[in-house]
Structure formats: structure tokens, C-alpha cells
Amino acid sequence: MIILGIESSCDETSAAVVRMEQGRREILSNVVASQIEIHRLYGGVVPEIASRAHIEAISGIVDEALRTAGVTLSEIECIAVTSHPGLIGALLVGVNFAKSLAYANGIPLVAVNHVKAHVAAAYLECETLEPPFLALVVSGGHTSFYEVREYAEFREIGGTRDDAAGEAFDKIGRVIGMPYPAGAAMDKLAYDGDAHAVTLPSPALVGDTLDFSFSGLKTAALNYINSERQKDREPHAADLTASYTRVIVEAIVKKTDAALIKTGAKTLVLAGGVAANSHIRRGLSELCEKRGVTFSTPSLSLCSDNAAMVAAAGYFEFLRGKLADTSLNASALDEDF
Ligand code: KG4
Ligand code: ZN
């Protein structure tokens, strides 16, 4: 089946053509137009500007995805679009474009949850991956564990009670002078510092829970930065980043270990933009090796927002008969778990 995926939930406009069949998963095109340069001026995503940039880009991006894949609209058998969660104005651009395209061309339409799409990215590169497994999604908006029982059936078993890991990296990175989004730069800088130089609280909540809280960690890092500046010193960016990364990785590894024990899962899928973090990838890959668990994570280009993952998730929604129609609406909320 040939699927056109469309993604516009945050600051990337993306369209992709993917072929999904039993035992065969192939990306024919995956075009991503990033708005990062525009939002960098403001130190974060400005929702109104994001919506406008999606409107300007979407038609050309879909054309390019079809052209690069070498297929015409008449060969597309399903259109999959991210409908939630995300920035409502940004989501509406993709949803309305997909609805019009599907309606005008008589193509079946499916709505996709962005978080499930991050996990579906793992299927694209690993044809043997199949549920059940434990998924950990770490992104700008999520730090969540899911028990994935069927391709499109997720049960959330833990998550952050406040900020997400990506937000925590971006916020502290910004305060120490890194351009938005700071995650990838902090990943590199952490190699240059002493990971035990700054004492910081763990974002893993104490007790029999798989939940996190990143707000205390962010506040502690800010207090360290402010107290150094009050003493007329610039905080040591590499030491802070290394220490900050260490407590985040340790917390994620600890809670993932608990989640593996709780669920008895034999496979772990790590997905989402922050899954690109080399320290987290290494920590979880070592944990899985120790526990005899198969570790699967998409390559870096499929970790960040893209439409190939939306098309892959859409395929499984289509298979279970979840078709959408012109009444489809976008939602900012993560409501279908
Ligand atoms: O999944 P994503 O592209 O968008 C959301 O759905 O939120 O994730 C974006 C987040 C940003 O916070 C960015 O700083 C973070 O992923 N990120 C990283 C790395 N690469 C991207 N965080 C840590 N280390 C990285 N290497
Ligand atoms: Zn995302």
C-alpha cells in the first residue's frame, strides 16, 4: 500500500510517501521543511508564526514528496495526517490540507497521533519489529512510557508530571547562551565537561512509579547559573551540561529498567526528538544488553519530526479500519491513550 503522510504539529512542515506491506517497509520520499531558523530569533516556537509558515510551505512540500517518490496522486492509496497532539493552529494546516486532498481525489484519510507516529518510525528501518514491546517517547513535549500491545494500541504507564526532557534541555541551553533548540548542542557539549561537577536533583520520582518531574531539575540548574552570575562568574557551561545530562540519563535508565521489569517486555523502542541524544541512546542500549532485551531506535533523521513516521502509523490505523472523513478536527491534546 502506498501512503502519503503529512505532518505539521510543531515547527516542521513535512510530507512523505511510504510503501507499507507485510514484511516490507520502504520510504520513497520524506521531505522536511524546518522553520527552526525563523523561531530561533525568538528563542522558541511562536505558534502564530508556525501556522503561517506551514500554510506557505505545505503545498510545495507535498508536491516535492510526490515528485521525489516518482508517484502521482492517483497512485496514493491512503493519506495519513497528524491530527493531535501539538500546536492547534499548526495542526489545522496539515489537517485541512489533507482533508481537501483526500476529498477532492477520493482517497481514504486517516488521522494519526503524533506520539504514536514517533514510535512507528522504528518500524520503517526494522522489518522484524512487531508488538508487544515497551516504548519510551522522549521529545519536546513528552517523556512517556507506553505498553504497545498492538500496532496502534498503546497504554500509557508512566510519564512526566510537568515539563518534558526536550523542554528541559532547550530551556537550560538557552540560559547558557545556546540557540534554539539546544538539545543537539548540549549533547555534544556534555562530552567536554565533568559530569559530577554540579550537584543536581534527579528527575526520576521516588517510589513505585514510572513518572518523572523535570521542573525541580530545571530550577536547580537555574539557581546554579544565577548564583555563579551573582558572584560575577559565568557558569561552567560544559560541567553544567555534563552534570545535567548525567542526571537525566540516569533517571531515564532507572525508570526504563523498572518499566521493563513491570511489563516483562522483551523489546524496548526509544523514539522522539530527544531519542537522538547519544548519551541516552548509549545508556539504554547498555541497559538492554544487560537485561537481554532487544533495543530498537530510529536513526537520527527519523527521530525528529517527519512525515514518514506519520505514514507508517497511518498504515496501522488504516488496517484497523479507523478511517476519518471531512469532519476530522485537530486537537492540541493527547487524548486517545
Ligand atoms: O520530537 P521532536 O522533533 O518534536 C516534538 O515532537 O516535540 O523533538 C524536539 C526536541 C527538542 O527539544 C530538541 O532540543 C530535542 O528534541 N533534541 C535533542 C537532541 N536532538 C533534538 N535533545 C537532546 N539531545 C539531542 N541530540
Ligand atoms: Zn515530535
Side-chain angles (χ1 to χ4, degrees):
M1 163 170 240
I2 300 183
I3 304 150
L4 172 68
I6 296 177
E7 156 67 35
S8 69
S9 67
C10 189
D11 56 353
E12 259 100 29
T13 319
S14 180
V17 179
V18 165
R19 189 195 300 271
M20 298 284 287
E21 271 145 37
Q22 189 105 38
R24 185 173 173 203
R25 295 153 183 183
E26 192 185 351
I27 301 174
L28 303 178
S29 66
N30 192 15
V31 183
V32 182
S34 174
Q35 306 172 4
I36 280 176
E37 292 303 327
I38 309 172
H39 298 293
R40 195 162 269 166
L41 289 170
Y42 308 95
V45 178
V46 183
E48 179 62 19
I49 295 176
S51 311
R52 285 164 192 248
H54 284 306
I55 291 171
E56 283 165 20
I58 196 154
S59 180
I61 293 296
V62 170
D63 269 352
E64 195 181 330
L66 292 169
R67 212 172 41 245
T68 310
V71 301
T72 58
L73 258 185
S74 62
E75 292 168 85
I76 299 293
E77 297 167 271
C78 174
I79 296 177
V81 64
T82 305
S83 61
H84 64 290
L87 300 172
I88 188 69
L91 286 163
L92 278 168
V93 178
V95 166
N96 284 318
F97 192 90
K99 281 202 296 193
S100 315
L101 201 63
Y103 182 68
N105 294 279
I107 302 170
L109 175 70
V110 292
V112 167
N113 176 311
H114 182 81
V115 181
K116 290 183 178 176
H118 270 300
V119 174
Y123 295 125
L124 290 165
E125 292 170 319
C126 181
E127 283 169 8
T128 53
L129 176 65
E130 59 180 21
F133 55 77
L134 172 71
L136 168 60
V137 178
V138 266
S139 69
H142 286 78
T143 312
S144 307
F145 288 110
Y146 302 96
E147 238 185 320
V148 182
R149 295 154 169 178
E150 290 292 336
Y151 285 99
E153 260 179 51
F154 287 46
R155 188 170 80 93
E156 186 167 2
I157 54 169
T160 179
R161 299 207 184 157
D162 40 52
D163 311 313
E167 209 260 320
F169 276 120
D170 292 342
K171 183 60 69 64
I172 294 306
R174 178 177 162 177
V175 179
I176 55 175
M178 289 172 176
Y180 170 84
M186 288 189 85
D187 186 347
K188 281 202 195 77
L189 186 62
Y191 286 100
D192 300 336
D194 172 359
H196 292 273
V198 184
T199 306
L200 295 167
S202 170
L205 285 182
V206 178
D208 182 26
T209 165
L210 298 174
D211 288 352
F212 299 92
S213 165
F214 287 88
S215 64
L217 170 63
K218 265 172 44 182
T219 305
L222 281 175
N223 286 345
Y224 163 77
I225 294 167
N226 290 336
S227 74
E228 288 297 294
R229 287 182 179 159
Q230 272 161 8
K231 292 175 208 147
D232 269 343
R233 292 199 295 248
E234 244 328 275
H236 195 292
D239 281 355
L240 173 63
T241 303
S243 305
Y244 196 72
T245 303
R246 179 180 61 82
V247 292
I248 291 176
V249 174
E250 283 176 359
I252 287 176
V253 168
K254 182 176 163 191
K255 290 297 179 190
T256 306
D257 199 13
L260 286 170
I261 292 167
K262 202 167 196 165
T263 58
K266 288 279 154 265
T267 301
L268 171 71
V269 172
L270 169 70
V274 184
N277 187 278
S278 61
H279 310 271
I280 297 175
R281 286 169 99 87
R282 194 181 54 239
L284 289 179
S285 129
E286 284 169 6
L287 171 73
C288 287
E289 209 176 311
K290 202 166 83 189
R291 296 276 180 243
V293 166
T294 306
F295 181 51
S296 179
T297 185
S299 53
L300 298 194
S301 63
L302 288 178
C303 283
S304 51
D305 290 348
N306 69 87
M309 68 185 197
V310 177
Y315 172 67
F316 298 112
E317 295 296 345
F318 182 89
L319 287 189
R320 66 172 182 162
K322 281 230 163 180
L323 293 188
D325 58 27
T326 47
S327 68
L328 175 66
N329 205 352
S331 165
L333 305 176
D334 199 358
E335 60 215 343
D336 64 342
F337 285 114

